[in-house]
Amino acid sequence: MAEEAKAVVGELRASFKAGRTRPAEWRAAQLRAIVRMVEEREQDITDALHADLAKPSMESYLHEISLAKAACTFALKGLKNWMKPNKVPAGVTTFPSTAQIVSEPLGVVLVISAWNYPFLLSIDPVIGAIAAGNAVVLKPSEIAPATSAMFAKLLPEYVDNSCIKVVEGSVPETTALLEQKWDKIFYTGSGNVGRIVMAAAAKHLTPVALELGGKCPAIVDSNVDLHVAMKRLAVGKWGCNNGQACIAPDYVITTKSFAPELVDSLKRVLERFYGEDPLQSADLSRIVNSNHFHRLTNLVEDKEVAQKIVYGGQTDEKQLKIAPTVLLDVPLDTGLMTSEIFGPFLPIVTVDKIEDSIDFINSKTKPLAAYLFTKDKKLQDNFVSNVPAGGMLVNDVALHLANPHLPFGGVGDSGMGSYHGKFSFDCFSHKKAVLIRGFGGEAKARYPPYTTEKQKILRGLINGSFFALILALLGFPKEKR
Amino acid sequence: MGRVAPSFEEVGGKQQPAVGLGETVSRTVSELRVAYESGRTRSLEWRQSQLRGLLRLLAEEEAAAFRALREDLGKHHAEAYRDELGVLVKSANAALREVWVPLIAFPARAQLEPQPLGVVLVFSCWNVPLGLSLEPLIGAVAAGNAVALKPSELAPATAKFLGDNIGKYMDATAVKVIQGGPEVGEQLMEHRWDKVLFTGSPRIGRVVMAAAAKHLTPVALELGGKCPCIFDTLGGSARDLQTAVNRVVSGKWSSCAGQACLAIDYVLVEERFVPVLIKAIKSTLKRFFTDSDHMARIVNARHFQRLSGLLKDTSVAASVLHGGKLDAKNLCIEPTILLNPPLDSAIMTEEIFGPLLPIITVKKIEDSIDFVKARPRPLAVYAFTKNAALRRRIVEETSSGSVTFNDAVVQYGIDSLPFGGVGESGFGQYHGKHSFEMFSHKKAVLTRGYLIELSARYPPWDGSKISMMRQLYRYNYVGFVLTFLGLKK
């Protein structure tokens, strides 16, 4: 296994060294091929996602396929500009000179993907790596085996295999890959494995981007259009892989006085969305596997927790389905409130004043996303200024990931590094500083032996003084003969 | 809690850990957290006051700073000003001028809100001990963080200078200097930080990153490498040749006697040009270094032994063309030039970090590109040439933190250029605005109203909803989403 991993990296290094991935034409060709793959094989992709997660075809289209295509199109449009060197002011000290920042590929990079958006979270970073001119290995999640197999079969039919490879496998294969030397590793998944990835990267001084999770809070104020807010909250939670999404709202915070109204509205929305028997709805993803199914059912097994269920709670172990479930005021020390849920349970936490929710959120680790539903500008300001999070949305949920002008990534325990849009290109690039001087503008003042006169001029030069520059260029201090 | 293995041993022989070291470090870290959580460091006023305090420190204690640098490294105060204090004054002034404050007025659309990461740790290095401590500090406070600074114990006078003065001129509860050696570094890395910047050797860089991985602490590593200098024939102009040689000599021996991550490590030149180059370097050395005052000394006995060791190899010793004199008592090594030492000798495989300059000959100057490409990526590539095609090839075909043409080391002072490595020379960049960004998190913030509602978004999803979404997307996905979010007319 180690031999195979080494061989794969070796082949990619040779391709990269040969310069295959550098020309804009190559990068654009790969991106166009991916667009073609998404268009021609949409049914295969949708089928794989359905096999892995029972993902409704609307979600597959909206959240995976169309976003992948959009990422390619955005990169294709921006590529030439992104590849251009960026001129920057060089300043007085080195006059005359020109300075620029040149983007270059890091080299050979590894993308390790997750199981919940197995298509998007694989192809999106790969798109960035290609746009930036790297050779790339994709290791799709083995927990979404149909999508992993689909990549292994389809991708080679469309892209340049000498530079872009899919390696399937689970822990042993991933470990073997992590032992190799990469120029960057991009990992999406859990904090535990994120630590393992970073520790492996440390051995080779490899920079990493980690897209992890956390408990994304959603504050709901009483000053809202409640019905619209609940629709958005619901589709952001249960319409995103039935809560198995890193940016799905994990829990809700609202005031004690507003909670009954909120629960009421939420119940009505859920019934409208998923009907009276949600386990029969085709619009709900299933839980990915029995491991996670049992992990989730264990979270509500405790009587103290189960009695807080105000809606839902139905499960079907055979189908691995769990219905949207709302709980009110569960004890704060249970698993449901201390670990990332990643499933269809939505605890509602109540506070006395809505402002208290800020401290509550900050008592936990920094989440990937934080949400606030309110029309109150002061609360909005307070929220934005005082809640550290990867990204935030006010009056909606999850959409920010679709905006290619916003960087998508975590902070603290929710990760490091960001991507989407041009940020993907930057994620897989090295910004090389290039300074070009001529032979004019020789400032004798720089060189030893250091006399007092020289130092005066040198000080001025360093501080950007034009006068000092002129003196220096005129050859001061004049040498005594 | 057990010791982190392997340890940070930089000096031979483990030092006995001080009693209660773990507690002292823990207390320092929690004080910094409390200071940060109080919210004090976030205000514009606090950040400006810190930067002004630093500027006052550099102005009022300039003489003491020069003395410390001379004591630690034998650095001449002109070099100290040029490479350390002067750059710091410029950076702090620039940080004060730019208003890098979070937008207090609430946005109506999508925007990026830069926020401090929280409590950050800066490990400095011994060779530019003031600059590599304070330049990151400027960025960290400008970005609104609380900061712990661990100066290198191998430059003790500067470490003491920082310890004595930072608390006096800056907010001592939110900006702390922590003294000590490897064991203190280990203890510090047992804790979680919101960012760690490490400047030093790749070996210790690995240890720092491995320790950071336990807490998912993001790191930036400023490491070293062998910075090559490609020296082309310059079209026969004697004046330009002299200018180039001035800059090469300065870029090697005026930069802490070659003990600088950006110093020229070795030179690549065409065979036929060697005699001219060597003659010019020798005469320039004579002119510049009229006395030992004008070149820094070797930092300590261990590095002196390491450098003399590089010359011990017989075939390396045989390649010495000039210099080679070692003064162990004063820790001085005179500027030394070698011609074609064996490529597998330590002097050609390890970062020299000293006043020894190997000159490697090639048949055609273009061959130097393959030479550089075959080796680990350095912090900087230098080239003296008038050939635009060669210049283009160097930029496109080699990879390094930075590339500078027709000069050396000066790129450090240009704060519009990011400073940092790639590959084995590290990752993460700072200087100028990049310092601010290094210690910030750019939070994406998106706001919506309630007016625009798209019912097709919501389940139950039937064929008509799906085809409506597809229609919209096919037309213009990005435009659709932006309109949908109320961000585009």
Side-chain angles (χ1 to χ4, degrees):
Chain A
M1 212 163 294
E3 287 308 311
E4 282 157 35
K6 206 155 158 218
V8 164
V9 177
E11 192 187 332
L12 290 179
R13 283 227 173 271
S15 306
F16 181 76
K17 264 206 170 94
R20 280 189 76 85
T21 63
R22 311 292 297 260
E25 294 71 39
W26 181 89
R27 307 182 199 193
Q30 304 312 304
L31 295 173
R32 280 194 294 267
I34 293 175
V35 173
R36 260 196 344 268
M37 182 182 92
V38 170
E39 285 175 346
E40 290 171 12
R41 312 305 273 263
E42 190 182 320
Q43 194 54 54
D44 292 313
I45 299 169
T46 310
D47 290 344
L49 292 171
H50 197 269
D52 283 332
L53 293 151
K55 196 170 277 210
S57 57
M58 176 67 128
E59 277 191 47
S60 296
Y61 181 73
L62 215 63
H63 298 162
E64 302 220 40
I65 291 166
S66 58
L67 286 175
K69 210 158 92 165
C72 279
T73 332
F74 192 82
L76 277 165
K77 255 208 332 227
L79 194 60
K80 281 255 154 73
N81 259 337
W82 299 348
M83 286 174 69
K84 271 201 217 132
N86 180 20
K87 275 206 156 77
V88 294
V92 163
T93 317
T94 51
F95 183 88
S97 59
T98 59
Q100 50 184 226
I101 302 175
V102 171
S103 290
E104 55 178 38
L106 289 167
V108 179
V109 304
L110 173 63
V111 173
I112 301 176
S113 167
W115 55 260
N116 61 334
Y117 286 84
F119 183 72
L120 180 68
L121 297 177
S122 298
I123 204 71
D124 208 346
V126 167
I127 288 167
I130 292 172
N134 299 275
V136 52
V137 167
L138 166 64
K139 211 308 274 168
S141 171
E142 69 278 17
I143 299 178
T147 311
S148 177
M150 179 220 63
F151 269 120
K153 180 162 162 295
L154 287 191
L155 206 56
E157 288 175 26
Y158 287 84
V159 297
D160 180 349
N161 284 311
S162 69
C163 304
I164 303 166
K165 290 192 185 297
V166 179
V167 173
E168 291 195 87
S170 58
V171 174
E173 287 81 5
T174 312
T175 308
L177 285 172
L178 285 173
E179 280 166 9
Q180 303 303 312
K181 178 163 146 53
W182 302 93
D183 298 308
K184 185 136 188 179
I185 300 176
F186 187 102
Y187 168 76
T188 307
S190 75
N192 285 339
V193 178
R195 284 171 172 81
I196 296 172
V197 170
M198 189 169 167
K203 296 203 177 90
H204 296 288
L205 295 170
T206 297
V208 301
L210 304 176
E211 297 275 326
L212 310 175
K215 292 180 77 63
C216 300
I219 305 175
V220 182
D221 188 19
S222 51
N223 180 2
V224 281
D225 183 333
L226 185 57
H227 183 59
V228 175
M230 289 304 97
K231 283 200 292 184
R232 294 175 179 179
L233 179 72
V235 81
K237 171 80 170 187
W238 296 284
C240 283
N241 222 13
N242 206 7
Q244 300 164 100
C246 48
I247 41 154
D250 186 278
Y251 64 100
V252 163
I253 313 178
T254 192
T255 53
K256 288 184 166 46
S257 50
F258 193 60
E261 211 182 315
L262 188 155
V263 170
D264 228 25
S265 178
L266 190 52
K267 281 185 189 174
R268 271 182 275 126
V269 164
L270 283 171
E271 203 166 296
R272 250 255 300 265
F273 281 7
Y274 304 112
E276 286 192 0
D277 190 2
L279 294 178
Q280 302 304 320
S281 167
D283 294 330
L284 268 183
S285 298
R286 68 151 210 266
I287 306 306
V288 67
N289 61 25
S290 61
N291 259 352
H292 279 277
F293 182 89
H294 289 112
R295 177 185 65 80
L296 286 165
T297 49
N298 285 340
L299 287 177
V300 295
E301 211 176 37
D302 194 347
K303 222 185 7 219
E304 263 199 3
V305 177
Q307 68 193 16
K308 303 292 186 182
I309 295 178
V310 294
Y311 182 87
Q314 308 96 307
T315 65
D316 178 345
E317 186 168 348
K318 211 166 104 209
Q319 306 239 37
L320 292 179
K321 285 209 161 192
I322 299 179
T325 303
V326 182
L327 306 96
L328 183 58
D329 284 326
V330 299
L332 296 179
D333 58 356
T334 69
L336 210 55
M337 284 310 299
T338 56
S339 59
E340 185 177 4
I341 297 171
F342 225 68
F345 301 132
L346 183 73
I348 299 177
V349 173
T350 57
V351 291
D352 291 321
K353 301 185 331 293
I354 198 65
E355 289 79 13
D356 297 342
S357 51
I358 308 250
D359 286 335
F360 185 90
I361 296 172
N362 289 340
S363 70
K364 296 184 177 303
T365 60
K366 299 176 190 176
L368 187 56
Y371 305 109
L372 168 64
F373 287 89
T374 187
K375 291 181 180 173
D376 180 346
K377 284 257 180 284
K378 251 182 74 186
L379 187 60
Q380 289 177 3
D381 278 354
N382 187 1
F383 179 68
V384 173
S385 298
N386 297 315
V387 174
M392 329 186 99
L393 234 83
V394 176
N395 296 326
D396 214 324
V397 161
L399 291 179
H400 58 303
L401 71 86
N403 184 331
H405 302 287
L406 289 175
F408 180 77
V411 66
D413 280 29
S414 52
M416 52 185 84
S418 59
Y419 70 129
H420 286 189
K422 180 165 191 276
F423 303 99
S424 293
F425 177 88
D426 293 339
C427 180
F428 292 100
S429 296
H430 166 56
K431 304 290 177 181
K432 184 160 78 177
V434 179
L435 178 66
I436 305 177
R437 291 208 70 188
F439 292 95
E442 186 52 349
K444 290 210 213 74
R446 317 164 47 169
Y447 306 119
Y450 304 116
T451 62
T452 326
E453 297 85 23
K454 277 189 180 181
Q455 283 176 68
K456 281 212 193 89
I457 293 180
L458 194 62
R459 268 188 193 244
L461 257 186
I462 287 170
N463 286 317
S465 150
F466 275 110
F467 183 62
L469 169 67
I470 290 168
L471 285 183
L473 292 179
L474 289 176
F476 282 85
K478 297 290 189 195
E479 230 103 78
K480 295 183 178 52
R481 293 229 172 264
Chain B
M1 206 185 293
R3 283 178 89 81
V4 174
S7 73
F8 277 73
E9 246 180 304
E10 261 223 84
V11 187
K14 270 197 187 11
Q15 296 170 333
Q16 283 296 96
V19 171
L21 176 61
E23 286 112 61
T24 315
V25 168
S26 294
R27 201 177 43 241
T28 306
V29 178
S30 26
E31 275 169 23
L32 285 171
R33 283 242 162 255
V34 167
Y36 181 73
E37 300 297 332
S38 76
R40 198 164 63 250
T41 65
R42 311 229 10 223
S43 73
L44 178 60
E45 293 71 36
W46 183 86
R47 305 180 201 201
Q48 288 172 334
S49 72
Q50 298 312 293
L51 294 169
R52 286 198 196 101
L54 197 57
L55 282 167
R56 265 195 339 267
L57 162 57
L58 293 171
E60 290 172 21
E61 299 295 335
E62 188 183 275
F66 284 152
R67 270 196 312 272
L69 291 168
R70 187 176 278 284
E71 196 180 313
D72 282 334
L73 295 154
K75 214 177 259 208
H76 191 286
H77 58 261
E79 190 185 321
Y81 189 82
R82 187 195 67 204
D83 294 347
E84 305 207 48
L85 275 99
V87 182
L88 290 169
V89 167
K90 199 162 82 138
S91 295
N93 275 316
L96 264 175
R97 266 200 315 268
E98 313 268 328
V99 181
W100 299 319
V101 206
L103 292 162
I104 300 162
F106 191 70
R109 304 135 66 24
Q111 67 138 40
L112 287 182
E113 167 101 356
Q115 298 204 311
L117 289 168
V119 180
V120 304
L121 172 62
V122 174
F123 283 107
S124 169
C125 191
W126 55 260
N127 61 331
V128 186
L130 208 59
L132 296 174
S133 299
L134 298 181
E135 188 75 44
L137 185 62
I138 288 170
V141 300
N145 299 276
V147 191
L149 170 62
K150 165 106 166 68
S152 171
E153 73 283 11
L154 300 182
T158 311
K160 181 166 184 302
F161 171 83
L162 289 167
D164 289 344
N165 287 295
I166 291 288
K168 268 197 240 149
Y169 287 83
M170 300 179 77
D171 179 350
T173 60
V175 182
K176 291 186 187 291
V177 179
I178 299 162
Q179 306 285 7
E183 63 293 329
V184 169
E186 265 186 58
Q187 283 298 320
L188 286 167
M189 288 309 296
E190 293 277 301
H191 295 265
R192 194 182 77 78
W193 299 89
D194 296 305
K195 185 123 188 188
V196 173
L197 168 62
F198 170 81
T199 305
S201 72
R203 190 173 61 88
I204 311 288
R206 286 180 174 83
V207 175
V208 170
M209 189 171 170
K214 298 202 177 88
H215 295 287
L216 291 173
T217 292
V219 302
L221 302 177
E222 297 280 330
L223 311 175
K226 292 179 77 64
C227 300
C229 174
I230 299 172
F231 202 102
D232 193 9
T233 54
L234 297 170
S237 158
R239 209 195 65 157
D240 291 346
L241 173 64
Q242 187 55 60
T243 301
V245 171
N246 286 344
R247 295 172 178 182
V248 168
V249 169
S250 173
K252 175 70 168 187
W253 290 288
S254 270
S255 302
C256 206
Q259 301 164 102
C261 50
L262 282 180
I264 293 175
D265 189 280
Y266 64 98
V267 166
L268 290 154
V269 67
E270 279 182 8
E271 261 168 356
R272 58 189 176 104
F273 198 58
V274 167
V276 173
L277 179 61
I278 293 189
K279 182 154 170 256
I281 294 178
K282 280 188 189 172
S283 70
T284 309
L285 281 171
K286 205 155 151 210
R287 238 175 350 109
F288 282 9
F289 301 111
T290 50
D291 60 56
S292 60
D293 205 37
H294 291 282
M295 189 171 86
R297 63 149 214 271
I298 306 307
V299 66
N300 59 26
R302 185 171 74 91
H303 277 278
F304 184 90
Q305 266 142 42
R306 179 184 63 82
L307 287 163
S308 0
L310 291 177
L311 298 174
K312 281 208 171 77
D313 183 321
T314 23
S315 38
V316 173
S319 70
V320 172
L321 273 192
H322 176 87
K325 207 159 66 196
L326 309 163
D327 176 355
K329 185 158 148 269
N330 295 309
L331 294 178
C332 284
I333 299 180
E334 64 168 335
T336 302
I337 307 173
L338 305 94
L339 181 61
N340 286 324
L343 294 180
D344 58 358
S345 58
I347 203 172
M348 280 312 295
T349 55
E350 294 168 11
E351 185 176 5
I352 296 170
F353 227 66
L356 315 173
L357 182 73
I359 295 181
I360 307 293
T361 57
V362 290
K363 284 235 145 53
K364 304 188 326 292
I365 198 64
E366 288 79 8
D367 297 343
S368 48
I369 294 181
D370 286 333
F371 189 96
V372 170
K373 272 168 75 170
R375 286 162 173 76
R377 288 172 283 185
L379 195 53
V381 164
Y382 300 110
F384 287 82
T385 182
K386 293 182 176 181
N387 182 341
L390 182 66
R391 210 166 56 213
R392 199 171 41 244
R393 278 195 64 192
I394 290 171
V395 172
E396 289 175 7
E397 296 182 35
T398 68
S399 179
S400 55
S402 62
V403 186
T404 298
F405 291 100
N406 304 325
D407 210 329
V409 183
V410 288
Q411 72 271 30
Y412 183 82
I414 299 180
D415 60 17
S416 56
L417 286 175
F419 173 73
V422 67
E424 296 78 357
S425 48
F427 53 84
Q429 297 174 314
Y430 68 120
H431 284 195
K433 186 147 199 269
H434 311 280
S435 295
F436 176 88
E437 292 180 356
M438 173 181 267
F439 294 104
S440 296
H441 168 61
K442 284 204 176 132
K443 185 166 71 178
V445 181
L446 189 59
T447 321
R448 294 209 61 199
Y450 288 96
L451 287 180
I452 301 175
E453 258 301 83
L454 190 69
S455 63
R457 240 179 116 179
Y458 305 117
W461 291 311
D462 56 32
S464 69
K465 279 188 179 177
I466 294 175
S467 60
M468 177 190 161
M469 294 301 264
R470 295 177 74 98
Q471 279 248 24
L472 288 165
Y473 283 29
R474 208 168 284 146
Y475 164 63
N476 180 354
Y477 179 82
V478 172
F480 163 66
V481 171
L482 293 178
T483 319
F484 176 28
L485 296 177
L487 300 170
K488 200 174 140 170
K489 308 286 179 288

